[in-house]
Amino acid sequence: MDVTRGSHGELIIRIDGTFDRQAAIRLSGWLGEVPRNAPVVLDFSRVREFHDFGLAAMAGPLAGLGGVQVLGLGWHQQRLLRYFGVDLSKLSVPLRGDEEALG
């Protein structure tokens, strides 16, 4: 995971590799330090493998945040987050390029 500041002061967290339960716990810890309405971008576009347990662990923290933009999730990940109660209409969730073709 890589944490940087964007040009508009937003906190950008880029996740790569495997997103499993351990990665979700680490990410949740970082998000716990961010003020509730601070602008945050979670970029999953470099994740090669998503574990459903990782997404389940992130559902609560995502549902409780405002001002979050989520990038790089495919249909499956979006569906799972909806099942876990995350309102995706509040988040910007563009599809990953490789997922668009699979639809």
Side-chain angles (χ1 to χ4, degrees), residues 22-74:
Q22 288 178 325
I25 291 169
R26 190 171 55 229
L27 179 58
S28 294
W30 287 352
L31 292 175
E33 301 294 322
V34 176
R36 178 167 167 64
N37 289 320
V40 176
V41 176
L42 299 178
D43 184 356
F44 290 93
S45 61
R46 298 188 302 191
V47 173
R48 291 185 317 271
E49 183 179 351
F50 279 97
H51 291 198
D52 293 347
F53 287 121
L55 287 172
M58 280 306 303
L62 278 178
L65 288 174
V68 176
Q69 182 179 16
V70 179
L71 306 173
L73 294 178

Side-chain angles (χ1 to χ4, degrees), residues 1-38:
M1 284 185 216
D2 177 35
V3 180
T4 59
R5 286 276 177 197
S7 60
H8 301 288
E10 69 275 17
L11 182 67
I12 301 172
I13 302 174
R14 289 185 178 90
I15 300 99
D16 57 3
T18 299
F19 190 74
D20 55 10
R21 189 183 307 205
Q22 288 178 325
I25 291 169
R26 190 171 55 229
L27 179 58
S28 294
W30 287 352
L31 292 175
E33 301 294 322
V34 176
R36 178 167 167 64
N37 289 320

